[in-house]
Amino acid sequence: MSTPTKIMLDEREMPTRWYNLAPDLPVPPPPPLHPGTHQPAVAEDFAAIFPRALIAQEMSTERYIDIPGAVLDVYRLWRPSPLFRAHRLEKLLDTPARIYYKYEGVSPAGSHKPNTAVPQVWYNAQEGVRRLTTETGAGQWGSSLAFACAQFGLSCDIWQVAASYRAKPYRRTMMEIWGGRVYSSPSEITTFGRELLAANPDHPGSLGIAISEAVMEAAADPHARYTLGSVLNHVLLHQSIIGEETLLQLAKIGERPDVIVACTGGGSNFGGLTFPFLREKLAGRLNPVIRAVEPAACPSLTKGEYRYDFGDTAGLTPLMKMHTLGHRFIPEPIHAGGLRYHGMAPLVSHVYELGLIEAIAIPQSECFAGAVQFARSEGIVPAPEPSHAIAAAIREALACRESGESRVILTALCGHGHLDLAAYEKYLGGEMVDIELPESAIAEAMRSVPEVA
Ligand SMILES: *Cc1c(COP(=O)(O)O)cnc(C)c1O
């Protein structure tokens, strides 16, 4: 075996700053707009729900931002994370490709989400905030935030999308172990939740609805702020540590990726892994193809429109220019709960629009087939979300088998699936169905998207 199985960094080699892609782009990303006036949003527009430091990062034009020492201390519980060479998967696929995966499942919550939960909680704590609210889809973000709140002594209220609240009771227990309070969304707590429940007591919920509920609660309490686990610039900034570490790891073994694939829900693990590589590409030092992989049942990049839309269902947030299926779009309850979001990170949308990245959508049964092949060869049971990235990596590896090319494929295994076994049970029992998304459902939801001149 030419390269080691596990490429590690020493704790002292861990990057100490985050990377902000925005200032390196040939065209600056369109700004968020005030929902009432449609003028570019100013810091004040976010002040009721975010602390000043994070608003500054959201709008920052600095290329690098130092990671606070207290955040680095918590990162060291699991970082630097390992980069694996998938020797056994390569063998199973009989491919000349070399496949690498950066594994974020080693964090306490089992995914990449603590990379941003920890700094978000720390900056809030610095500004005297005592309580944080948030939404969670699959429960990954909620558990990451609960873990981070436990580190810094803040209280934590989490609205969990009803479909996952029912399907994933152990995620809820995990959030409660770390001291979080968890509500099924739509909930009886907010006026918006009560309205939706009155219309449909079995409402499956959506990330957009849960965001609305968490924002309403934070805005009503002066000691509370809201947190978002994906989509926003500051979240992608914090996740850049994934790609920065990976660059160092690949440099250690003298490898350069030809293609990078990562799954996209709101775009944070994708941006986290790929933006440092995009910096290298824009500077002419590397030239990988960078490809986002989304679920066929919620294809915001490949089927959505690039328009200003709300981040939440009730329409409370500033308008963001992004690929959207419409903020009223309720995705089918597929198993990759973390990918059920109507929009896409504005930065990811922008680089897609600029032609700097590609995007594809894959149906869930192909993803689970890939995840099972991966588990049987590499051992790790992937979360349903990165199974999309694995399926794309496998497609690429099989194309190499056809062409005989030994390309270097890099992907993000952004979480393990130990709390997603019910989904695997369905797959193994032959009960998993692929949900065709009718164009009419998108057209319907797009009607709610505001017209912006
Ligand atoms: C939340 C989550 C996702 C989706 O969010 P992104 O912001 O697109 O990364 C994907 N995978 C896992 C494991 C998650 O927890």
Side-chain angles (χ1 to χ4, degrees):
M1 289 188 182
S2 48
T3 44
T5 299
K6 205 146 95 261
I7 303 108
M8 303 297 283
L9 292 176
D10 187 271
E11 226 175 83
R12 285 160 301 184
E13 296 173 283
M14 186 166 79
T16 56
R17 38 187 212 169
W18 294 301
Y19 169 62
N20 178 17
L21 174 68
D24 281 339
L25 291 173
V27 183
L33 303 182
H34 185 280
T37 64
H38 292 187
Q39 292 304 305
V42 292
E44 222 27 58
D45 297 333
F46 299 96
I49 56 170
F50 293 124
R52 280 189 303 278
L54 292 176
I55 299 170
Q57 290 183 358
E58 189 63 24
M59 302 182 156
S60 175
T61 52
E62 298 291 314
R63 298 179 75 223
Y64 294 99
I65 292 178
D66 286 333
I67 306 175
V71 172
L72 287 172
D73 282 345
V74 182
Y75 275 0
R76 284 189 194 99
L77 289 173
W78 72 93
R79 306 211 72 86
S81 70
L83 176 73
F84 287 90
R85 166 93 187 261
H87 286 296
R88 288 159 186 79
L89 179 64
E90 291 166 18
K91 198 161 168 224
L92 177 78
L93 300 173
D94 188 26
T95 177
R98 302 197 287 287
I99 307 173
Y100 293 89
Y101 57 96
K102 176 73 165 166
Y103 185 44
E104 291 294 311
V106 291
S107 80
S111 76
H112 65 292
K113 297 277 189 357
N115 296 334
T116 184
V118 171
Q120 287 196 46
V121 174
W122 186 80
Y123 286 114
N124 272 286
Q126 291 310 102
E127 295 184 27
V129 174
R130 292 183 218 150
R131 172 184 169 225
L132 291 174
T133 72
T134 200
E135 74 295 329
T136 194
Q140 289 274 18
W141 169 241
S143 48
S144 302
L145 190 71
F147 154 71
C149 282
Q151 290 291 313
F152 298 113
L154 275 74
S155 76
C156 182
D157 288 297
I158 302 152
W159 276 262
Q160 183 172 13
V161 175
S164 344
Y165 186 88
R166 292 175 208 137
K168 302 192 171 176
Y170 294 131
R171 273 280 165 205
R172 173 182 167 190
T173 305
M174 221 167 147
M175 293 185 254
E176 290 173 348
I177 291 171
W178 280 314
R181 282 181 299 263
V182 188
Y183 317 103
S184 175
S185 169
S187 75
E188 294 288 351
I189 296 168
T190 65
T191 48
F192 186 54
R194 284 195 294 275
E195 275 169 33
L196 294 169
L197 282 178
N200 177 8
D202 295 323
H203 203 299
S206 72
L207 277 169
I209 293 168
I211 294 172
S212 298
E213 294 203 274
V215 168
M216 284 175 181
E217 279 286 296
D221 175 356
H223 300 297
R225 291 291 181 274
Y226 166 71
T227 60
L228 189 62
S230 184
V231 179
L232 298 178
N233 300 345
H234 68 268
V235 178
L236 273 60
L237 171 81
H238 301 153
Q239 294 295 356
S240 66
I241 190 154
I242 302 173
E244 294 289 22
E245 282 182 6
T246 308
L247 276 165
L248 296 175
Q249 285 161 312
L250 288 176
K252 275 199 173 186
I253 52 168
E255 282 282 41
R256 304 152 79 83
D258 295 304
V259 52
I260 309 178
V261 287
C263 70
T264 44
S268 75
N269 89 85
F270 173 84
L273 175 71
T274 66
F275 284 2
F277 285 88
L278 194 46
R279 171 190 65 212
E280 299 303 303
K281 185 169 172 153
L282 289 166
R285 290 187 288 262
L286 291 175
N287 194 23
V289 169
I290 300 175
R291 188 174 298 136
V293 190
E294 55 185 14
C298 193
S300 50
L301 276 174
T302 52
K303 294 235 175 113
E305 289 181 30
Y306 186 51
R307 284 179 59 172
Y308 274 104
D309 195 9
F310 293 106
D312 72 312
T313 306
L316 303 172
T317 67
L319 293 165
M320 293 178 289
K321 186 122 186 218
M322 60 182 176
H323 289 84
T324 179
L325 296 165
H327 64 280
R328 299 270 169 78
F329 178 73
I330 310 285
E332 291 293 334
I334 53 165
H335 294 287
L339 306 183
R340 292 181 68 229
Y341 183 64
H342 67 272
M344 182 51 60
L347 266 178
V348 172
S349 292
H350 182 61
V351 296
Y352 183 54
E353 211 53 29
L354 292 179
L356 298 174
I357 64 165
E358 302 176 358
I360 55 170
I362 302 186
Q364 61 179 352
S365 57
E366 180 181 340
C367 299
F368 275 83
V372 167
Q373 282 189 305
F374 186 90
R376 288 181 185 172
S377 52
E378 292 296 312
I380 299 170
V381 178
E385 291 83 5
S387 74
H388 291 72
I390 290 168
I394 290 175
R395 280 188 185 182
E396 197 66 35
L398 293 178
C400 288
R401 184 170 75 189
E402 291 306 307
S403 68
E405 276 177 287
S406 56
R407 306 184 81 194
V408 175
I409 303 167
L410 170 65
T411 191
L413 182 51
C414 55
H416 66 65
H418 296 177
L419 292 176
D420 303 286
L421 299 185
Y424 280 94
E425 194 182 8
K426 277 233 161 65
Y427 173 75
L428 295 171
E431 293 168 46
M432 186 167 284
V433 288
D434 285 331
I435 298 151
E436 271 301 314
L437 179 63
E439 297 289 338
S440 59
I442 303 176
E444 175 63 31
M446 286 305 296
R447 274 209 283 277
S448 67
V449 177
E451 292 297 333
V452 172

